[in-house]
Amino acid sequence: MTECEGENTLNPIIRTIEDHYKSLHRAALVEYEQKKAKIYELIPDIEKLDFKIKKLGTMYNRKILTGELDAEQAKRELDARISTLIAQKQALLVAHSYPKNYLTVKYTCSSCNDTGYVTSTDINYTDNGNQNSLIQTYSSSNKCHCYKQMMIDMIYQNANINLNGITGFENFSLDFYSKKSNYQKHASELSPYEKALEIKELCQQFVGSFSSNSMNLYFCGNTGVGKTHMAKCIAIELINKGYNVLYLSAPKLFDILSTQRFNFDNNESKNLYQRIMDVNLLIIDDLGTETETASKYAQFLTLLNNREVNNAVNVCRTIISTNISQNKLLYEQYSERIASRILGDFTQLKFIGTDIRLLKLMNNK
């Protein structure tokens, strides 16, 4: 995935965040101006002190420009005189039962003053052959910790993923998978533990080569054996790499596809439909639980076809998770064209074992 693709993926989120910070910053300044107007009316001497502070700044700038004072000396004198005036302001506020810091802008984040960015200044001293050194100043602006957290929260919200403590592959525990194989029950010589380990390694490879491979994944198996958990682990790993992800249950997906057919003039519906077609990773959970409709097969086939076409232009992979575990059942529940498409274009990973939720419940008891 190129840097440009990553930026395009996040553009709507970045615009939303930037607008949020502009609104926050503006609201803080409006509140400050309202408080200041109130104080100026109640305590006119504070307005006079503020006027003196402004005049001092202009006066010392003039002294620097005319050479009357050098910048360092001017700064020392200005800071001292302003500190005195600020102390007088604070004394007046306290005398009128206000906190001494009442006339300060109240930002929600003191690190970035509600701009989303923290500016740092680096000063380099370079020996120029004289007693004095040449001073070079560099300023850089970096995203604040609050900006980064908001971006993370919005990316996951945009992906429709409820984390529930999941943080990636390291959170996919093999502890609940038995190391005893049962060939007759699972039709596999591998134990549930060995099978889960194999699936985890394949999914890690899927993430590692996501931009170059053409693999889709089909997770099948009984309820509660880790299919949805693994899909979310993959989603989180890819989100952290800068890809866009969308997680939808099968009933929700088919509702959206049906809505788009009858509301093609609705921009919100159209945008969501397009996102389903274009998103880097689409996760369809619980396939087979959706309502039976006459148009279901055509809608699903159109979805698979469009994503295959889009994949030629942009990374476009799909993960399907379902309790429909046997190929025969897939053909019985869906049309032959869809079943053959899934079995032909998707790598089938079958999860085996005991319902992990029941095991956790038993352990808690």
Side-chain angles (χ1 to χ4, degrees):
M1 186 180 193
T2 65
E3 184 178 346
C4 180
E5 286 174 332
E7 289 177 357
N8 289 337
T9 294
L10 295 175
N11 270 342
I13 293 175
I14 290 174
R15 283 196 297 270
T16 301
I17 294 175
E18 298 284 351
D19 289 343
H20 170 78
Y21 277 106
K22 286 177 185 176
S23 177
L24 266 186
H25 190 76
R26 186 164 51 247
L29 293 178
V30 167
E31 182 190 30
Y32 166 73
E33 291 297 333
Q34 291 172 343
K35 290 194 298 184
K36 187 171 71 172
K38 174 184 174 182
I39 292 298
Y40 280 2
E41 184 178 351
L42 294 173
I43 316 170
D45 285 343
I46 288 182
E47 184 175 10
K48 294 175 183 177
L49 290 170
D50 277 342
F51 182 71
K52 286 182 180 180
I53 290 172
K54 289 180 183 177
K55 281 189 66 177
L56 280 176
T58 304
M59 181 179 73
Y60 276 95
N61 279 333
R62 189 182 302 116
K63 286 185 177 184
I64 293 171
L65 291 172
T66 59
E68 184 179 344
L69 293 174
D70 63 43
E72 192 174 338
Q73 182 183 359
K75 185 179 183 306
R76 282 199 306 269
E77 288 187 16
L78 179 61
D79 286 347
R81 296 183 67 174
I82 286 179
S83 294
T84 300
L85 294 175
I86 288 175
Q88 292 176 22
K89 282 177 56 178
Q90 291 175 342
L92 284 169
L93 285 168
V94 171
H96 287 78
S97 302
Y98 287 96
K100 67 178 183 180
N101 64 344
Y102 183 74
L103 281 184
T104 55
V105 185
K106 301 293 184 184
Y107 295 112
T108 56
C109 178
S110 58
S111 299
C112 67
N113 291 341
D114 290 350
T115 63
Y117 292 88
V118 178
T119 301
S120 58
T121 303
D122 297 322
I123 301 176
N124 292 332
Y125 297 89
T126 306
D127 188 356
N128 62 2
N130 301 319
Q131 290 183 344
N132 296 325
S133 294
L134 178 65
I135 301 175
Q136 294 178 309
T137 305
Y138 302 94
S139 293
S140 59
S141 193
N142 299 301
K143 289 184 178 70
C144 183
H145 62 87
C146 64
Y147 188 114
K148 293 176 182 177
Q149 186 59 51
M150 184 177 294
M151 179 175 283
I152 290 170
D153 293 343
M154 288 196 65
I155 287 172
Y156 285 117
Q157 182 182 352
N158 199 46
N160 196 36
I161 294 177
N162 181 6
L163 296 181
N164 291 330
I166 298 173
T167 56
F169 286 126
E170 71 275 10
N171 191 260
F172 188 84
S173 174
L174 301 175
D175 294 344
F176 292 96
Y177 294 92
S178 172
K179 293 185 178 181
K180 296 180 181 179
S181 62
N182 186 334
Y183 179 83
Q184 289 183 337
K185 183 176 181 180
H186 300 299
S188 170
E189 294 180 355
L190 295 178
S191 68
Y193 178 90
E194 292 168 327
K195 190 65 177 175
L197 180 60
E198 179 185 71
I199 289 173
K200 182 177 180 180
E201 290 173 350
L202 285 169
C203 290
Q204 287 173 320
Q205 293 172 18
F206 174 81
V207 170
S209 59
F210 188 73
S211 62
S212 58
N213 69 38
S214 57
M215 186 190 302
N216 298 305
L217 299 179
Y218 180 76
F219 292 168
C220 58
N222 295 330
T223 301
V225 289
K227 303 185 299 295
T228 298
H229 192 144
M230 177 58 80
K232 288 186 177 182
C233 288
I234 291 173
I236 291 164
E237 297 284 348
L238 290 174
I239 286 171
N240 291 338
K241 285 176 173 285
Y243 293 99
N244 55 0
V245 175
L246 181 60
Y247 171 93
L248 290 171
S249 66
K252 180 64 176 176
L253 171 70
F254 283 100
D255 282 348
I256 295 169
L257 296 180
S258 297
T259 301
Q260 171 58 21
R261 288 183 63 217
F262 302 106
N263 294 277
F264 53 87
D265 290 330
N266 184 300
N267 286 333
E268 184 177 349
S269 173
K270 191 182 299 182
N271 290 339
L272 183 53
Y273 179 82
Q274 195 59 49
R275 187 160 168 249
I276 290 171
M277 298 301 167
D278 296 340
V279 68
N280 295 139
L281 177 65
L282 174 65
I283 299 173
I284 306 171
D285 200 14
D286 283 335
L287 185 71
T289 61
E290 69 279 358
T291 304
E292 187 75 30
T293 63
S295 61
K296 181 176 79 168
Y297 300 147
Q299 291 169 355
F300 196 32
L301 199 57
T302 298
L303 167 66
L304 296 176
N305 288 338
N306 285 349
R307 287 188 58 77
E308 183 179 5
V309 170
N310 291 339
N311 188 52
V313 180
N314 191 24
V315 184
C316 214
R317 311 275 182 262
T318 306
I319 294 177
I320 294 175
S321 175
T322 179
N323 295 337
I324 306 173
S325 56
Q326 299 297 323
N327 296 354
K328 181 182 177 182
L329 293 177
L330 185 63
Y331 276 99
E332 289 175 356
Q333 190 153 345
Y334 289 88
S335 69
E336 184 175 348
R337 290 179 67 192
I338 291 175
S340 59
R341 166 63 66 84
I342 291 174
L343 295 176
D345 293 350
F346 286 71
T347 298
Q348 183 171 331
L349 300 179
K350 184 177 180 180
F351 290 69
I352 59 176
T354 306
D355 190 327
I356 294 172
R357 283 167 289 194
L358 292 179
L359 289 175
K360 288 182 177 179
L361 185 61
M362 291 168 62
N363 285 349
N364 290 335
K365 288 183 178 180

